[in-house]
Amino acid sequence: MLLFISCNQVSNIPWPVYRGDNASSGYSPLTQINSTNLDQLEVAWIYQSGDAREGNRSAIQCNPVIIDTVMYATSPQLKLIALDARKGKEIWRFDPFVNEEATGVNRGVTYWENDSEKRIFFSAGPYLYAVNAETGKLVSSFGDEGKIDLRKGLGRDPSKLAVWSTSPGIIYKNVLVMGTALGEGYDAAPGFVRGYDIITGKTVWTFHTIPQPGEFGYDTWQEDAWKEAGGVNAWAGLSLDEATGTVFLPLGSPAFDFYGGNRKGNNLFGNCLVALNALTGKRIWHYQLVHHDLWDYDLPAPPTLVTVERDGKTIPAVAQTTKMGMVFLFNRNTGEPVYPIQERPVPQSTLIGEQTSATQPFPVKPPPFVRQNFPDAGMLDFSDSSYRYIKNKIGNAKTGPVFTPPDTAGVVQFPGTRGGAEWGGASFDPETGMLYVNANEIPMLIKMKPVIMDGNDESKGQQLYTLNNCTMCHGSDRKGTHVYPALLGLSKKYSFAEISGLLQSGRGQMPAYPNLTEEDKTDLIAFLLRDNAEVGEQQAAASTHVRYVHDGWNELKDQDGYPGVKPPWGTLNAIDLNKGEIAWQVPLGEYPELTAKNIPATGTQNLGGALVTAGGIVIIGATRDEKLRIFDKKNGRLLWEYQLPAGGYATPATYMIDNRQYIVIAAGGGGKVGTPSGDAYLAFALKEQE
């Protein structure tokens, strides 16, 4: 619910829901901090949790909620923390991983209260917890002594599933709707969305995102695919129309992300925006934004509920940003597109067994807010050496427009798996009809590798390494990246038992692999402890049972680590939804060493969203140069910036207490950007008058 309240009428205005409200608008009506007085903005307080991991191995992605005078947030090790939102002083903390290693990330929490109690719902590991908001103690009457196992109720053995949740649920009346995050390998769990009773934790309804026999969409898969297919999950968060009781699900791709020979068809409800009745879980409408996904083009953020003025009519709409750099806009009551959507032919796959969709949907308006064709965008040409390095690295890999399918020769995927848009989401200004979204323009170099399932040219350990997606982070050569560690020389660092424990429980960004049998773990660990790291090639043409994996999340970079495409590499965009036009676009972030050479701001990779206010400003961290910035929302002019102690890879929040407005952001660094980790929340406010 938007709080259109003058700060002269009340002294406290909260930030009660992830991204500000159930509409996921990222908007605040506060005006005390505005475009005219940013020279008076200063740090009001800093809170440090003290539990960042060494190097770049932890992150804080949390957009906190603020209720009355209390802020609820999470730490790098996923401790739930209550702070005095005026001073940043800790009130209590709850640790879900007592004497255990924390795994995963958390982007926010859900607050609920009735006449007798107040609760915080948040996720860590495979569990959803209910915590007393005043004491920090588990609510023992909820679920199983205060928690729900998200692995249960999926129709498969829970002990063999990797299921968790990165984004908070959303509440309508007495139902808490939850999505989940999953592994992305061939054995991934199904991403069913559940509604839970807010008091007891009992399951009220389940929406099968992979349809079962007799359900709508079943015929868009191979027969009985539901028994083994995984993915199609609402990991990015949810939005809610409180007036109609409709919850909107942005669903991810089916697993495996880059090959679908074992899941022929368009694969509903993969990559769909789905509208459900929040009380019953019944489907109202859906629209598929990517058919038979082969690019990891999950719907990456909660859809934003907006109002559009078109042809003299006011349309209640929902806007979905995508990794492809598109905005799809629908009437949120009917699912009808606000602007036409065209099905256009796309390149076809040559991989054995693959059946690419012949077309993909493209909205006529608004235009894409990122470039979508690598040859047209141009290779990086800061110097002859950079150009030659990139050209040589591409080699025989295919280049082309968006939706060029993966290939064994390699493909330059552009936009890459980091977007376009990402999980930070978009913010909507109801005053102007403007949608604000940050974006990445960093190409990936993806190369597929066949694995013959009815042969055994590779050892079983090598096969497990590839099929469980270890290569996607650590590479087929096990050399790792600047984000993910190398897996060479492990025998000098870990014992067999220690590696076995990590595979079972996970650590940090590494998920658990409970699907592995003891024999599987023995074979995989034996391979990991070998000095020879290469995974050999196989001849697949004669095989009747082939699967493909890829060789890692490889960003296409030059020898100095700069993205291998002409800038901009990161942008902030203002999109006029009423006109279907991009109003302005500016680079977001910079490389100081390039700026010192008089190279205009290039933008950088950015993770975490923006906040827009009635004070005329757009507030965003997100960039790898670790700054918090404020822009003029009318024209994108940079008004203010501050060097954070670590990267602000989270969405800021704003609130008012005792007639003083604060802006707060998590500075946790690390994560997929790979800069040094931190453990701080910083709050900013105007200097107090003496």
Side-chain angles (χ1 to χ4, degrees):
M1 180 181 297
L2 292 177
L3 299 171
F4 292 100
I5 304 171
S6 168
C7 61
N8 294 321
Q9 294 175 308
V10 295
S11 60
N12 293 358
I13 295 182
W15 187 263
V17 180
Y18 177 63
R19 293 192 41 78
D21 52 39
N22 285 333
S24 193
S25 73
Y27 172 80
S28 171
L30 292 173
T31 60
Q32 187 180 93
I33 300 172
N34 59 63
S35 58
T36 69
N37 59 14
L38 296 176
D39 60 328
Q40 298 298 305
L41 195 60
E42 65 177 5
V43 175
W45 55 258
I46 298 176
Y47 168 80
Q48 293 182 275
S49 64
D51 63 344
R53 292 194 67 193
E54 184 179 355
N56 61 3
R57 302 294 299 281
S58 67
I60 312 174
Q61 298 180 357
C62 181
N63 173 243
V65 300
I66 297 91
I67 307 293
D68 296 325
T69 61
V70 182
M71 176 181 298
Y72 300 97
T74 54
S75 77
Q77 297 300 302
L78 301 194
K79 296 175 176 65
L80 176 63
I81 298 168
L83 303 176
D84 183 328
R86 298 162 294 189
K87 300 179 181 179
K89 301 297 183 183
E90 186 173 313
I91 300 171
W92 55 254
R93 68 168 58 190
F94 169 78
D95 185 358
F97 294 104
V98 177
N99 298 322
E100 295 180 6
E101 188 75 36
T103 61
V105 297
N106 175 282
R107 298 190 179 116
V109 303
T110 309
Y111 176 85
W112 172 86
E113 67 175 73
N114 64 11
D115 293 337
S116 60
E117 64 173 322
K118 302 175 181 179
R119 294 181 182 179
I120 296 291
F121 296 94
F122 95 111
S123 300
Y127 299 107
L128 168 68
Y129 294 88
V131 177
N132 185 300
E134 296 179 304
T135 67
K137 305 297 183 183
L138 283 175
V139 179
S140 60
S141 60
F142 180 84
D144 181 11
E145 295 298 318
K147 64 183 180 182
I148 291 171
D149 190 334
L150 296 171
R151 298 169 295 186
K152 294 182 177 180
L154 299 176
R156 302 180 192 177
D157 183 350
S159 68
K160 297 184 181 300
L161 300 180
V163 181
W164 62 100
S165 182
T166 53
S167 300
I170 207 161
I171 296 172
Y172 180 68
K173 294 185 177 179
N174 66 329
V175 178
L176 170 63
V177 185
M178 287 294 302
T180 54
L182 312 167
E184 298 181 356
Y186 287 99
D187 57 357
F192 300 163
V193 177
R194 272 80 62 89
Y196 296 100
D197 185 287
I198 201 73
I199 301 295
T200 66
K202 293 182 178 179
T203 302
V204 177
W205 55 258
T206 299
F207 177 73
H208 295 141
T209 57
I210 301 173
Q212 299 185 2
E215 295 179 336
F216 185 92
Y218 177 75
D219 60 351
T220 66
W221 297 75
Q222 290 177 227
E223 187 176 2
D224 290 335
W226 65 278
K227 294 180 179 179
E228 295 184 359
V232 192
N233 51 313
W235 62 266
L238 311 167
S239 302
L240 174 72
D241 187 333
E242 297 174 74
T244 63
T246 304
V247 62
F248 295 90
L249 319 179
L251 294 176
S253 58
F256 171 56
D257 291 341
F258 295 89
Y259 178 72
N262 60 325
R263 52 173 173 87
K264 293 179 174 64
N266 275 355
N267 304 147
L268 293 181
F269 290 94
N271 307 83
C272 285
L273 179 60
V274 181
L276 299 182
N277 182 308
L279 290 181
T280 66
K282 300 298 183 183
R283 181 182 61 90
I284 300 171
W285 61 263
H286 76 278
Y287 204 101
Q288 189 172 51
L289 308 189
V290 182
H291 310 315
H292 189 78
D293 186 12
L294 301 175
W295 304 271
D296 191 31
Y297 281 158
D298 297 341
L299 272 59
T304 308
L305 306 191
V306 302
T307 301
V308 177
E309 302 293 334
R310 179 159 163 76
D311 298 329
K313 298 179 181 179
T314 300
I315 302 172
V318 53
Q320 180 67 61
T321 57
T322 70
K323 290 184 179 181
M324 302 88 74
M326 304 175 189
V327 178
F328 288 83
L329 198 60
F330 304 96
N331 182 309
R332 64 177 182 257
N333 294 329
T334 67
E336 290 295 317
V338 173
Y339 296 104
I341 298 174
Q342 298 177 343
E343 289 285 340
R344 300 177 187 169
V346 294
Q348 298 295 289
S349 176
T350 60
L351 297 185
I352 297 168
E354 185 60 88
Q355 292 183 7
T356 323
S357 174
T359 64
Q360 293 292 348
F362 290 79
V364 173
K365 286 185 175 184
F369 53 87
V370 301
R371 295 163 292 175
Q372 294 185 317
N373 188 306
F374 180 77
D376 289 350
M379 284 188 290
L380 180 65
D381 57 0
F382 279 167
S383 65
D384 288 342
S385 60
S386 291
Y387 184 87
R388 288 194 301 271
Y389 185 93
I390 294 297
K391 188 174 180 63
N392 181 66
K393 196 168 184 180
I394 293 173
N396 295 323
K398 295 181 179 180
T399 61
V402 63
F403 299 121
T404 297
D407 193 85
T408 53
V411 169
V412 177
Q413 183 177 329
F414 191 65
T417 59
R418 298 283 183 268
E422 253 293 347
W423 53 261
S427 298
F428 177 68
D429 186 349
E431 301 175 73
T432 63
M434 207 72 70
L435 191 78
Y436 299 92
V437 58
N438 51 306
N440 293 304
E441 299 202 33
I442 299 175
M444 305 289 289
L445 186 57
I446 303 293
K447 186 176 182 179
M448 303 302 288
K449 170 185 169 57
V451 178
I452 299 174
M453 302 303 294
D454 52 2
N456 196 29
D457 292 338
E458 293 181 316
S459 73
K460 187 179 178 184
Q462 287 175 315
Q463 204 169 85
L464 288 166
Y465 180 82
T466 55
L467 291 177
N468 280 279
N469 287 353
C470 305
T471 58
M472 295 170 72
C473 293
H474 304 286
S476 59
D477 58 6
R478 294 182 13 216
K479 292 182 179 179
T481 68
H482 73 290
V483 175
Y484 302 105
L487 298 182
L488 300 173
L490 292 184
S491 61
K492 299 176 182 178
K493 303 176 184 178
Y494 298 99
S495 67
F496 184 100
E498 287 172 328
I499 298 175
S500 178
L502 286 173
L503 290 171
Q504 185 63 35
S505 63
R507 174 190 289 178
Q509 296 183 76
M510 174 186 164
Y513 290 93
N515 59 296
L516 296 174
T517 65
E518 289 303 314
E519 182 181 355
D520 287 342
K521 284 196 283 188
T522 297
D523 290 332
L524 177 57
I525 295 170
F527 169 67
L528 292 173
L529 293 176
R530 282 192 221 153
D531 291 332
N532 180 14
E534 290 295 332
V535 177
E537 290 293 333
Q538 294 183 336
Q539 298 300 316
S543 175
T544 58
H545 191 182
V546 179
R547 287 184 175 179
Y548 288 85
V549 296
H550 74 54
D551 63 350
W553 305 101
N554 300 312
E555 295 179 7
L556 180 59
K557 297 180 177 180
D558 78 350
Q559 70 275 21
D560 296 317
Y562 300 121
V565 66
K566 291 181 179 180
W569 302 322
T571 60
L572 180 63
N573 304 269
I575 302 170
D576 188 328
L577 297 183
N578 296 326
K579 296 180 180 179
E581 299 174 355
I582 295 177
W584 53 257
Q585 181 184 82
V586 296
L588 180 61
E590 64 179 347
Y591 287 85
E593 69 276 17
L594 297 181
T595 303
K597 296 178 181 179
N598 294 319
I599 295 174
T602 59
T604 73
Q605 182 178 359
N606 53 91
L607 291 175
L611 158 67
V612 61
T613 81
I617 54 177
V618 179
I619 309 161
I620 187 167
T623 55
R624 67 171 294 120
D625 60 11
E626 303 173 318
K627 289 184 178 182
L628 179 67
R629 291 178 168 89
I630 298 180
F631 295 86
D632 188 318
K633 72 179 185 182
K634 297 190 300 296
N635 53 32
R637 183 166 62 91
L638 180 63
L639 301 176
W640 179 92
E641 61 183 8
Y642 180 87
Q643 188 70 51
L644 297 168
Y649 309 135
T651 301
T654 189
Y655 57 97
M656 178 172 281
I657 298 177
D658 298 332
N659 283 325
R660 193 181 193 201
Q661 182 183 355
Y662 299 81
I663 296 166
V664 65
I665 188 169
K672 292 181 179 179
V673 180
T675 57
S677 293
D679 66 349
Y681 283 85
L682 287 83
F684 300 83
L686 300 179
K687 295 178 181 178
E688 294 189 279
Q689 300 299 315
E690 296 182 359

